[in-house]
């Protein structure tokens, strides 16, 4: 009942706000899709940014050597037309000869080799350097339309990295005349994507128009304007008054309430982000602490009502999960042991472990406060005396690095990559303080999956690793997330299974 009253109040407030805004000429009338983003857009060069907003913009303005099919995760041609492994350490890539930069110049192999060598160079200080430095030795031009990539070591995810991250720049872009300029493309972007930049006011507005010489399939909508509107309420009012056509990261209650009006459509799609509890199985905070006991960790898994959390606290297309990866990711074996919600079983396991009266537990969290409180409540019902420490992410990161956290509620989006490698390496390879398992054999197993190009072998390795994580209950997996959008009823905005918004695929109904 309270939820329904809240939704009604939200809808009424938004309608009232909408009347205070003069209708803008958004939509099919001027073939302009107007999108709102709360996050400030300050730099258009995805080689020097992170965050989901910048990924969305890069899909509009830039192109990579390959693309990943969001349905199948298969690698498809883009700027590149073909590839061939000469051996495990040498990759030849063939390029199209009709790719144009937005300034009208034709892309060359020299541009591709320059871009990769620059990003791999530590002096570039690029946000993308970490993606290629683990595998790229150097790139060299080998013909009028070919580039050879020399690898440092066997790395089966090269094509995935090429498809996900590196945006091609003209040779000399970042170091003209030998002088480094890392901001060369931050405002005056010259890309190769389906839209080109017409005007950019950092933190305010980005204006894009369809690029007539784009080498791929032309987008249906001619113009896209991205507006920075930090306040979600203002975004909603603008949507309902016709000022914008698209907004994302919408709270579920608001999305449902406004989506029930004729002025907005609520869309809910999948997201590769998952939530989980990380448990100090390695005994970093207490070598003899209760979390070093596998029975205690299994009890914690049984104590959590993850189906209800997913349905009522996350909502949309969110689902309970039982693995330390998203079910849609390659290698995320769903045959791993599951711990169904069973508070009584949790109490039995605690008693068997020597904690019939429970034990004190400091649980850290930094987001989704309602879910954090539900987790603490469920654990308390099983007899665990929980102290919930709800802090800023920076504080949690610092405490975790100092090994002061026995358990925390975390999330991971895998950078939109539907491969278990994108979550396993960070959390179980021993290379990050996020790995609290203390299991060196597991770390070796996880890293071995990146040392073979045999996809079936990789799948087998990840199956074994995910199975071990579940059996030892190093995590308490919680739920997947849902992406909620509000869009104009005139807009056809398709949702992809990897959760990445692709505005370039939009069309008017």
């Amino acid at each position: 009942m309270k939820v329904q009253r809240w939704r009604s109040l939200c809808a009424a407030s938004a309608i009232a706000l909408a009347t205070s805004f003069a209708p803008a000429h958004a939509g099919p009338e001027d073939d302009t899709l107007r999108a709102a983003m709360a996050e400030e857009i300050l730099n258009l060069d995805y080689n020097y940014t992170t965050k989901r907003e910048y990924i969305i913009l890069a899909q509009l303005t830039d192109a990579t050597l390959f693309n990943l099919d969001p349905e199948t995760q298969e690698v498809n041609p883009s700027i590149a037309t073909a590839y061939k492994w000469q051996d495990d350490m040498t990759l030849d890539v063939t390029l199209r000869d009709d790719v144009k930069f937005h300034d009208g110049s034709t892309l060359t192999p020299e541009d591709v080799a320059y871009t990769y060598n620059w990003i791999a160079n530590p002096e570039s200080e690029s946000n993308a350097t970490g993606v290629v430095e683990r595998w790229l030795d150097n790139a060299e031009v080998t013909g009028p339309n070919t580039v050879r990539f020399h690898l440092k070591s066997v790395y089966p995810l090269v094509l995935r990295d090429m498809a996900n991250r590196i945006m091609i720049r003209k040779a000399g872009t970042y170091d003209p005349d030998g002088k480094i300029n890392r901001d060369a493309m931050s405002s005056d972007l010259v890309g190769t994507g389906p839209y080109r930049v017409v005007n950019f006011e950092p933190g305010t507005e980005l204006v894009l128009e369809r690029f007539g010489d784009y080498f791929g399939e032309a987008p249906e909508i001619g113009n896209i304007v991205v507006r920075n509107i930090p306040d979600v309420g203002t975004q909603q009012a603008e949507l309902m008054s016709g000022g914008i056509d698209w907004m994302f990261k919408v709270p579920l209650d608001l999305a449902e309430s406004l989506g029930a009006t004729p002025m907005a459509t609520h869309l809910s799609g999948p997201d590769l982000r998952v939530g989980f509890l990380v448990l100090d199985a390695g005994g970093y905070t207490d070598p003899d602490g209760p979390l070093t006991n596998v029975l205690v960790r299994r009890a914690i898994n049984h104590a959590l009502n993850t189906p209800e959390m997913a349905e009522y606290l996350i909502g949309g297309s969110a689902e309970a999960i039982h693995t330390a990866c998203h079910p849609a990711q390659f290698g995320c074996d769903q045959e791993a042991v599951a711990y169904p919600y069973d508070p009584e079983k949790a109490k039995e396991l605690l008693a068997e472990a020597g904690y019939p009266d429970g034990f004190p537990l400091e649980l850290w969290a930094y987001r989704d406060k309602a879910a954090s409180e539900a987790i603490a409540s469920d654990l308390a019902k099983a007899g665990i005396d929980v102290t919930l420490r709800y802090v800023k992410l920076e504080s949690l990161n610092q405490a975790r690095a100092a090994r002061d956290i026995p358990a925390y509620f975390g999330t991971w989006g895998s950078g939109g990559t539907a491969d278990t490698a994108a979550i396993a390496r960070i959390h179980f390879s021993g290379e990050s303080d996020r790995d609290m398992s203390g299991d060196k054999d597991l770390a070796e197993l996880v890293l071995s999956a990146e040392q073979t190009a045999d996809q079936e072998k990789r799948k087998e390795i990840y199956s074994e690793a995910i199975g071990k994580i579940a059996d030892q209950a190093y995590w308490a997996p919680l739920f997947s997330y849902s992406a909620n959008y509000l869009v104009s009823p005139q807009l056809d905005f398709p949702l992809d299974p990897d959760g990445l918004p692709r505005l370039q695929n939009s069309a008017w109904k």
Side-chain angles (χ1 to χ4, degrees):
M1 183 68 73
K2 289 182 179 179
V3 171
Q4 184 59 47
R5 285 200 298 269
W6 168 245
R7 290 175 181 169
S8 298
L9 178 60
C10 290
S13 299
I15 292 172
L17 277 170
T19 60
S20 65
F21 286 84
H25 296 288
E29 289 78 11
D30 64 352
D31 197 21
T32 300
L33 189 165
R34 288 176 170 82
M37 292 185 179
E39 186 76 27
E40 268 195 316
I41 305 302
L42 302 174
N43 186 338
L44 299 181
D45 188 356
Y46 186 49
N47 289 336
Y48 281 89
T49 60
T50 55
K51 295 187 179 181
R52 180 58 58 93
E53 288 80 2
Y54 291 112
I55 300 175
I56 297 170
L57 297 182
Q59 295 269 347
L60 296 171
T61 59
D62 273 307
T64 49
L65 291 180
F66 300 96
N67 286 328
L68 281 179
D69 186 312
E71 294 282 348
T72 66
Q73 288 298 303
E74 293 179 349
V75 174
N76 293 324
S78 181
I79 290 175
T81 61
Y83 66 92
K84 182 179 180 181
W85 288 99
Q86 297 299 333
D87 54 53
D88 287 345
M89 307 275 284
T90 311
L91 175 67
D92 285 343
V93 173
T94 303
L95 309 174
R96 299 176 65 119
D97 60 7
D98 61 346
V99 178
K100 298 284 188 180
F101 285 100
H102 293 160
D103 64 359
S105 60
T106 301
L107 179 143
T108 67
E110 286 76 12
D111 298 321
V112 173
Y114 167 82
T115 300
Y116 273 83
N117 288 330
W118 171 258
I119 297 298
N121 184 347
E123 285 193 358
S124 72
E125 298 181 6
S126 167
N127 292 74
T129 298
V131 175
V132 299
E133 67 178 358
R134 71 178 63 161
W135 57 264
L136 180 62
D137 185 11
N138 68 84
E140 66 167 326
V141 176
T142 53
N145 66 338
T146 55
V147 178
R148 174 165 290 178
F149 293 86
H150 298 277
L151 276 61
K152 294 178 179 178
S153 60
V154 175
Y155 185 67
L157 305 179
V158 169
L159 297 179
R160 182 207 69 177
D161 287 354
M162 288 178 165
N164 280 339
R165 194 61 171 99
I166 310 303
M167 305 301 158
I168 307 302
R169 301 288 177 246
K170 296 177 67 172
T173 291
Y174 299 114
D175 55 353
D177 302 321
K179 296 180 181 179
I180 293 177
N181 180 11
R182 301 181 184 91
D183 295 324
M185 293 286 102
S186 62
S187 296
D188 301 317
L189 181 69
V190 179
T192 57
Y195 290 89
R196 72 176 189 91
V197 176
V198 175
N199 185 57
F200 177 47
E201 298 177 33
T204 303
E205 185 177 84
L206 170 65
V207 180
L208 305 172
E209 72 175 8
R210 186 167 50 212
F211 180 47
D213 287 330
Y214 177 55
F215 64 89
E217 183 177 349
E220 291 197 25
I221 294 178
N223 309 285
I224 295 180
V225 175
V226 180
R227 297 172 56 192
N228 276 141
I229 304 178
D231 180 66
V232 174
T234 304
Q235 289 187 24
Q236 295 161 348
E238 286 273 16
L239 179 68
M240 299 183 75
S241 68
I244 62 172
D245 305 288
W246 183 92
M247 57 185 289
F248 79 135
K249 292 184 177 180
V250 184
L252 180 64
D253 282 345
L254 300 180
E256 290 179 338
S257 64
L258 295 179
T261 73
M263 289 178 280
T265 300
H266 170 214
L267 301 176
S268 178
D271 194 312
L272 285 184
R273 183 168 296 278
V274 295
F276 44 81
L277 288 191
V278 178
L279 307 174
D280 183 16
Y284 295 103
T285 56
D286 184 352
D288 300 313
L291 295 180
T292 62
N293 189 318
V294 67
L295 296 179
V296 170
R297 300 196 300 271
R298 289 171 180 168
I300 287 174
N301 274 264
H302 276 300
L304 299 170
N305 192 345
T306 55
E308 285 202 358
M309 292 181 198
E311 181 177 359
Y312 297 111
L313 299 180
I314 306 301
S317 58
E319 295 180 337
I321 61 172
H322 70 279
T323 53
C325 47
H326 193 289
Q329 289 181 305
F330 173 89
C332 190
D333 190 352
Q334 296 303 292
E335 296 301 314
V337 64
Y339 300 94
Y341 176 57
D342 189 340
E344 293 307 312
K345 179 66 174 178
K347 292 177 182 178
E348 291 175 12
L349 288 171
L350 288 175
E352 185 180 348
Y355 300 96
D357 299 319
F359 59 90
L361 175 66
E362 189 174 74
L363 174 66
W364 290 59
Y366 70 95
R367 61 176 292 163
D368 301 315
K369 192 169 186 179
S372 303
E373 292 172 344
I375 293 165
S377 177
D378 282 352
L379 294 178
K381 291 175 185 176
I384 299 173
D385 182 15
V386 177
T387 299
L388 178 61
R389 293 199 60 174
Y390 194 80
V391 299
K392 297 290 186 181
L393 176 58
E394 182 179 358
S395 298
L396 188 148
N397 287 340
Q398 291 175 351
R400 184 182 60 216
R403 295 303 195 184
D404 288 335
I405 293 180
Y408 73 92
F409 167 32
T411 74
W412 192 253
S414 295
T417 301
D419 193 302
T420 296
I423 192 169
R425 167 180 273 270
I426 299 298
H427 294 90
F428 296 104
S429 69
E431 297 183 349
S432 164
D433 56 45
R434 287 181 170 85
D435 185 356
M436 295 169 63
S437 70
D439 191 330
K440 294 182 180 179
D441 292 337
L442 175 62
E444 291 181 6
L445 186 65
V446 166
L447 290 175
S448 71
E450 297 186 14
Q451 296 165 4
T452 174
D454 185 329
Q455 291 297 83
E456 287 304 312
K457 181 63 176 176
R458 288 186 63 233
K459 186 180 293 186
E460 291 175 9
I461 293 172
Y462 282 130
S463 178
E464 182 180 351
I466 294 302
K468 184 174 187 180
I469 294 165
D471 179 68
Q472 293 299 307
Y474 290 139
W475 272 14
L478 298 171
F479 39 71
S480 62
Y481 277 79
S482 175
N484 292 294
Y485 306 85
L486 282 170
V487 304
S488 163
Q490 297 175 299
L491 184 67
D492 180 12
F493 173 64
L495 300 176
D496 289 320
D498 62 359
L500 179 63
R502 292 176 172 84
L503 285 169
Q504 67 272 22
N505 295 336
S506 300
W508 301 117
K509 291 181 179 178

